[in-house]
C-alpha cells in the first residue's frame, strides 16, 4: 500500500476543501456585515426624516403593543369570532384582549406557531 | 425457393442475439430488469435510475451495437460523458434550482458541508486498503459526496471502466438516504441535542445573492482549477436565477435542458455496464465502499455538528451536520424529520439546507482535488 499517496490525498484533500470553504465563510461574513451596515444606514436616514412629524414614543413596548391591538379592529373581530365559535352560542362579553409574550430564551414555540410549522412540514 | 427460405431463416437465427448471448448477458438483462422495477415500483431516484437501467439493458443485447464503447447511437452519445460535457450541464440546471439564501444567512454551514466530505477521503483510504488502484479508489470514494453528476464526472475521467457500477451505487445509496442516515443520527446525538431550536435566519438581500455565485466561482476555481467545470456551471445557473433578467434561460435550464441531458446521461451511464466489468468482485467492493462512504460522510457531518453545538453553547442543532452530504434536498428533509421526532415544534429544514447546498460546493471542490492529484 502506497502510504505516501494515501496520506497526500487524504490530508491535502481535507485541507484544501476546508480552506476553500473557510475562505468562502470569510467572504460571506464580510459581505453580510457590509450589507447589514448599509441597511442600517438607510433605516437611520428614513427614521431621521420621519422623527420630526412623529409623536412621542409610548412609555413601554408592551403598552404600545397593547394600544395597537385594541385599535386594530380586524384583529379584535377575528378573535371575537373565534371566541364566539368556542362558546357555542352562549352569551358572553369580551372585556379585554391581551398579548402574552413568550418567555425570553424559551425553546418552545407558541401553540399557533407550532401548528403552522406542523402544517407546512407535514409532507416531509 | 423453400430451401432458400430455410437457409435465410437459419442465417437470421445464427445472427440473432439469442445465438450469441452468454450467461453473463442474461444476468445483466436480469439485473437491468430489477433496477427498472426499483425505479418504477419502488421509485428509487427514477429520473436517473430508469434511463440507467434501460441503457444497461440495451448495451447487453448481443450484436445490438448499443454499448458505450461501440460505434452505435449510445457510443456517440457517450462522448458527452467521456469529454465531461453532461455532468456540468446537469450542474447548470441544479444551479438554477438552488437557493443559496440559507447558506449565505448562516455561513458556518459551510463547515458542515466540508466536514461531510471527509467521508470521501476516508473511503479513499479504504479502497486503497482493498488493493484498488489510486485512480479507481478516487473514482469510488467520490460516491461519499452523495452527488450523482460529480460521481459520474470523476469516474468518467479517473476510471471509465467502473463508471456504470459507480453511478448505479451512487444513485441507489442516494435513494436510501432516509433509511441509512437516521440510525447514525440518533446513535451519535442525545435527545437534548436533537431538540435544539435554532435562531431564525437573517433575511438575505438580492445583491448578496447575485454577488455570491460570482465570488464563489472566482475564489474556488482559482484555488482548484479542476473544479471549474462543475462549480462554474453550478454558479452560472445560480447567477442566471438570481439576476432575474434571463427568466426564459432559467426556465429552459430548469426544464428542457435538464431533462434532455438527464436522458442522455442516464442512458449512456447504463450503456457502460458491460458484463465483464459489472459482474466482478470490483462491483461488490464498490457497493461496500459506497455504503461506507455514505456512512462516513454522515458520521463526519454529525460529529462536526456536535463540535459546533459545544462551541456555540447549544445554538447549533447537530442534526443539520448530516445534511452536509450533497443529496439536495433529501438529506435536509431527513434532518427535519429526525429533528421533529425529538421536538415536534422544531423546523430545521431551512437551517439544514445551508449545509446541504454547501455540500454540493464541497463535493465539487473535493472532486477537483482528486482530479488534480490522481488524473494522468
Amino acid at each position: 500500500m502506497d502510504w505516501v499517496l494515501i496520506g497526500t490525498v487524504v490530508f491535502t484533500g481535507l485541507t484544501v476543501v476546508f480552506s476553500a470553504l473557510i475562505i468562502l465563510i470569510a467572504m460571506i461574513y464580510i459581505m453580510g456585515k457590509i450589507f447589514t451596515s448599509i441597511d442600517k444606514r438607510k433605516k437611520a436616514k428614513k427614521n431621521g426624516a420621519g422623527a420630526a412629524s412623529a409623536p412621542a414614543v409610548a412609555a413601554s413596548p408592551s403598552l404600545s403593543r397593547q394600544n395597537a391591538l385594541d385599535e386594530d379592529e380586524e384583529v379584535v373581530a377575528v378573535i371575537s369570532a373565534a371566541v364566539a365559535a368556542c362558546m357555542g352560542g352562549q352569551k358572553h362579553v369580551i372585556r379585554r384582549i391581551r398579548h402574552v409574550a413568550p418567555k425570553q430564551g424559551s425553546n418552545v414555540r407558541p401553540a399557533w406557531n407550532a401548528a403552522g410549522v406542523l402544517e407546512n412540514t407535514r409532507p416531509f | 425457393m423453400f430451401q432458400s427460405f430455410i437457409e435465410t431463416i437459419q442465417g437470421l437465427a445464427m445472427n440473432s442475439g439469442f445465438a450469441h448471448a452468454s450467461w453473463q448477458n442474461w444476468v445483466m438483462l436480469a439485473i437491468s430488469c430489477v433496477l427498472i422495477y426499483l425505479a418504477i415500483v419502488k421509485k428509487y431516484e427514477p429520473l436517473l435510475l430508469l434511463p440507467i437501467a434501460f441503457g444497461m439493458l440495451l448495451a447487453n443485447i448481443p450484436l445490438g451495437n448499443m454499448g458505450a464503447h461501440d460505434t452505435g447511437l449510445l457510443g456517440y452519445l457517450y462522448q458527452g460523458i467521456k469529454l465531461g460535457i453532461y455532468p456540468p450541464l446537469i450542474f447548470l440546471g441544479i444551479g438554477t434550482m438552488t437557493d443559496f439564501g440559507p447558506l449565505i444567512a448562516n455561513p458556518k454551514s459551510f463547515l458542515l458541508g466540508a466536514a461531510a466530505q471527509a467521508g470521501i477521503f476516508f473511503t479513499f483510504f479504504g479502497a486503497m486498503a482493498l488493493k484498488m488502484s489510486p485512480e479507481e479508489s478516487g473514482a469510488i470514494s467520490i460516491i461519499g459526496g452523495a452527488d450523482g453528476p460529480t460521481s459520474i464526472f470523476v469516474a468518467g475521467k479517473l476510471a471509465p471502466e467502473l463508471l456504470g457500477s459507480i453511478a448505479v451505487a451512487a444513485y441507489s445509496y442516494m435513494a436510501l438516504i432516509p433509511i441509512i442516515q437516521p440510525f447514525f443520527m440518533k446513535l451519535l446525538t442525545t435527545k437534548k441535542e436533537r431538540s435544539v431550536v435554532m435562531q431564525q435566519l437573517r433575511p438575505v438581500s438580492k445583491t448578496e445573492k447575485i454577488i455570491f455565485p460570482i465570488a464563489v466561482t472566482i475564489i474556488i476555481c482559482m484555488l482548484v482549477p479542476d473544479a471549474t467545470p462543475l462549480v462554474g456551471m453550478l454558479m452560472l445557473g445560480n447567477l442566471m436565477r438570481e439576476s432575474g433578467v434571463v427568466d426564459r434561460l432559467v426556465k429552459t435550464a430548469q426544464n428542457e435542458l435538464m431533462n434532455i441531458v438527464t436522458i442522455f446521461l442516464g442512458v449512456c451511464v447504463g450503456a457502460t455496464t458491460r458484463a465483464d466489468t459489472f459482474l466482478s468482485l470490483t462491483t461488490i467492493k464498490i457497493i461496500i465502499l459506497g455504503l461506507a462512504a455514505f456512512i462516513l460522510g454522515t458520521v463526519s457531518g454529525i460529529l462536526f455538528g456536535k463540535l459546533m453545538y459545544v462551541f456555540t453553547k447549544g445554538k447549533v442543532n447537530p442534526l443539520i451536520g448530516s445534511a452536509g452530504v450533497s443529496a439536495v434536498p433529501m438529506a435536509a428533509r431527513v434532518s427535519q424529520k429526525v429533528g421533529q421526532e425529538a421536538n415536534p415544534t422544531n423546523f430545521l429544514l431551512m437551517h439544514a439546507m445551508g449545509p446541504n447546498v454547501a455540500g454540493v460546493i464541497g463535493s465539487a471542490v473535493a472532486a477537483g482535488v482528486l482530479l488534480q492529484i490522481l488524473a494522468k
Side-chain angles (χ1 to χ4, degrees):
Chain A
M1 223 159 64
D2 189 346
W3 288 103
V4 173
L5 179 66
I6 293 171
T8 305
V9 170
V10 173
F11 289 112
T12 309
L14 287 171
T15 307
V16 171
V17 170
F18 268 94
S19 305
L21 299 193
I22 287 170
I23 292 171
L24 289 180
I25 291 172
M27 184 264 300
I28 294 168
Y29 182 75
I30 292 168
M31 196 170 66
K33 285 281 177 204
I34 292 170
F35 281 98
T36 313
S37 70
I38 291 172
D39 279 337
K40 271 187 193 159
R41 259 183 257 157
K42 277 187 188 164
K43 271 188 191 155
K45 271 187 195 165
K46 262 191 202 167
N47 288 342
S53 54
V57 179
S60 72
S62 58
L63 263 180
S64 65
R65 185 82 193 259
Q66 185 61 56
N67 290 341
L69 275 173
D70 287 340
E71 289 160 6
D72 194 334
E73 291 175 353
E74 287 177 6
V75 171
V76 171
V78 165
I79 294 172
S80 304
V83 170
C86 286
M87 296 301 285
Q90 288 178 31
K91 279 190 181 171
H92 62 278
V93 173
I94 295 174
R95 295 191 186 283
R96 194 175 174 212
I97 294 171
R98 189 169 59 92
H99 176 252
V100 178
K103 282 183 202 163
Q104 284 288 330
S106 166
N107 251 3
V108 179
R109 290 176 193 275
W112 278 112
N113 293 23
V117 162
L118 280 171
E119 186 67 39
N120 282 322
T121 57
R122 199 166 291 146
F124 302 129
Chain B
M1 199 169 98
F2 184 71
Q3 186 66 24
S4 169
F5 171 73
I6 295 293
E7 277 169 11
T8 308
I9 294 292
Q10 275 176 341
L12 283 171
M14 293 305 292
N15 285 322
S16 72
F18 287 107
H20 289 264
S22 62
W23 67 268
Q24 289 100 328
N25 286 114
W26 289 112
V27 170
M28 290 301 292
L29 291 178
I31 292 172
S32 69
C33 291
V34 169
L35 292 176
I36 291 171
Y37 167 82
L38 291 176
I40 296 175
V41 177
K42 296 291 184 191
K43 296 189 173 39
Y44 278 19
E45 296 285 334
L47 285 174
L48 262 144
L49 196 57
L50 185 62
I52 289 174
F54 209 81
M56 184 188 286
L57 192 150
L58 291 172
N60 285 282
I61 303 276
L63 307 178
N65 201 29
M66 286 287 267
H69 305 289
D70 295 334
T71 53
L73 169 69
L74 297 186
Y76 292 115
L77 291 180
Y78 173 68
Q79 299 308 305
I81 294 181
K82 194 171 163 190
L83 299 170
I85 298 173
Y86 297 152
L89 289 179
I90 294 269
F91 259 43
L92 174 70
I94 290 172
T96 60
M97 295 190 275
T98 304
D99 177 14
F100 284 109
L103 177 59
I104 298 168
N106 186 17
K108 291 192 292 293
S109 307
F110 262 124
L111 290 174
L112 295 167
Q117 308 315 315
I120 295 174
F121 299 102
F122 295 140
T123 306
F124 178 82
F125 167 72
M128 291 285 283
L130 289 176
K131 308 267 188 272
M132 309 203 79
S133 72
E135 292 79 15
E136 288 173 343
S137 302
I140 294 167
S141 60
I142 201 71
I143 296 175
D147 195 307
T150 307
S151 301
I152 292 168
F153 186 74
V154 171
K157 295 213 179 279
L158 290 182
E161 68 281 4
L162 300 181
L163 177 63
S165 315
I166 288 170
V168 169
Y171 282 104
S172 301
Y173 287 130
M174 277 161 62
L176 291 172
I177 273 178
I179 298 166
I180 297 171
Q181 283 198 326
F183 172 74
F184 294 96
M185 290 159 83
K186 288 174 192 166
L187 185 70
L188 296 169
T189 54
T190 62
K191 190 158 186 223
K192 185 184 168 201
E193 287 168 348
R194 291 199 294 275
S195 307
V196 167
V197 175
M198 292 178 65
Q199 209 175 6
Q200 200 168 355
L201 296 168
R202 70 169 176 90
V204 176
S205 68
K206 199 78 189 152
T207 314
E208 284 178 279
K209 285 189 180 183
I210 290 174
I211 293 174
F212 177 79
I214 303 167
V216 168
T217 306
I218 294 170
I219 292 170
I220 297 295
C221 298
M222 292 291 262
L223 211 58
V224 188
D226 279 314
T228 305
L230 291 174
V231 173
M233 296 308 277
L234 179 74
M235 293 300 148
L236 170 61
N238 192 247
L239 182 61
M240 279 166 34
R241 171 197 155 102
E242 298 300 345
S243 68
V245 295
V246 286
D247 206 39
R248 38 185 283 179
L249 296 187
V250 170
K251 286 198 175 96
T252 300
Q254 282 178 344
N255 299 295
E256 288 75 33
L257 181 69
M258 271 292 268
N259 293 339
I260 291 169
V261 178
T262 298
I263 293 170
F264 288 171
L265 183 75
V267 170
C268 293
V269 163
T272 63
T273 51
R274 289 199 320 254
D276 54 346
T277 50
F278 198 79
L279 297 177
S280 65
L281 189 62
T282 309
T283 302
I284 296 174
K285 285 183 188 174
I286 289 170
I287 290 168
I288 295 168
L289 286 166
L291 182 62
F294 259 76
I295 292 170
L296 285 167
T298 302
V299 166
S300 312
I302 294 276
L303 291 177
F304 207 90
K306 282 177 74 100
L307 202 65
M308 286 179 73
Y309 170 83
V310 168
F311 274 106
T312 57
K313 296 191 175 68
K315 289 202 181 118
V316 171
N317 190 319
L319 289 178
I320 65 170
S322 64
V325 297
S326 49
V328 182
M330 184 57 72
R333 284 186 187 170
V334 171
S335 294
Q336 158 70 22
K337 199 161 165 258
V338 177
Q340 263 189 333
E341 281 169 18
N343 180 356
T345 64
N346 207 350
F347 184 61
L348 280 176
L349 186 68
M350 292 321 288
H351 295 284
M353 283 303 290
N356 213 189
V357 297
V360 178
I361 300 173
S363 64
V365 174
V369 171
L370 286 172
L371 288 171
Q372 207 145 333
I373 300 174
L374 299 172
K376 287 174 186 150

